[in-house]
Amino acid sequence: MLGSDVLLCFIFYSTLLILKMYIIAIITGQVRLRKKAFANPEDAERHGGVQFCRTDPYVERCRRAHLNDMENILPFLFLGAIYSMTGPSYAVAQLHFLVFSLSRVLHSVAYLLALKAPTRSFAYVIAQVPCVSMAIQILMEVASFA
């Protein structure tokens, strides 16, 4: 019922990426609790007082990692779904999905652990390669209909 092997492969990697995003969100919440750095006064009041309604550099780092995931994984979900419908080779599609996913995991690890530059930038750029490739292939597939 789900369709082709390519689509099933895309669903697998997409689901892993979404779970990774949930994990980053949970980490952010746990760091907020540990650092007592809450974004909302009502949360701060519940955990010790309004003085804990403040920012913390590591909480902000976790938030930026999560925001970066949303900026990059959401377009991948669109591109990968459409790309899966264009009938690509399974091996090529799997390589696209694998490279993107591994690069995004590396990007998150580099962000959360503040790894030396250019680790995070390298992971970002490598993750963009399959996205640009999929976008070009989609455009080539539908260009005659525009």
Side-chain angles (χ1 to χ4, degrees), residues 10 14 17 72-81 97 100 131 134:
F10 169 70
S14 295
L17 288 166
N72 290 276
I73 292 173
L74 294 178
F76 167 80
L77 296 176
F78 172 80
L79 290 170
F97 305 151
F100 180 83
C131 288
M134 289 188 295

Side-chain angles (χ1 to χ4, degrees), residues 102-132:
L102 290 177
S103 296
R104 290 309 305 173
V105 168
L106 176 59
H107 185 274
S108 293
V109 168
Y111 222 137
L112 295 176
L113 299 180
L115 298 182
K116 285 179 63 173
T119 307
R120 192 176 79 239
S121 297
F122 176 74
Y124 172 83
V125 169
I126 296 302
Q128 295 312 301
V129 172
C131 288
V132 170

Side-chain angles (χ1 to χ4, degrees), residues 19-93:
L19 288 172
K20 185 188 83 60
M21 288 175 67
Y22 280 133
I23 290 168
I24 300 295
I26 290 167
I27 289 169
T28 304
Q30 292 302 307
V31 171
R32 277 193 187 284
L33 287 170
R34 189 173 35 116
K35 299 276 193 165
K36 287 190 166 254
F38 301 99
N40 302 303
E42 63 273 16
D43 298 329
E45 285 286 343
R46 183 170 177 235
H47 294 281
V50 73
Q51 71 272 20
F52 296 116
C53 184
R54 59 190 179 84
T55 60
D56 176 85
Y58 192 68
V59 171
E60 291 306 307
R61 175 175 288 279
C62 294
R63 276 183 10 87
R64 287 191 308 273
H66 186 70
L67 288 172
N68 194 278
D69 269 353
M70 289 190 295
E71 292 168 359
N72 290 276
I73 292 173
L74 294 178
F76 167 80
L77 296 176
F78 172 80
L79 290 170
I82 302 301
Y83 173 72
S84 296
M85 293 183 228
T86 66
S89 152
Y90 176 79
V92 172

Side-chain angles (χ1 to χ4, degrees), residues 1-12 80-81 83-90 93 97:
M1 181 174 207
L2 286 174
S4 72
D5 289 345
V6 170
L7 182 60
L8 292 172
C9 183
F10 169 70
I11 291 168
F12 174 80
Y83 173 72
S84 296
M85 293 183 228
T86 66
S89 152
Y90 176 79
F97 305 151

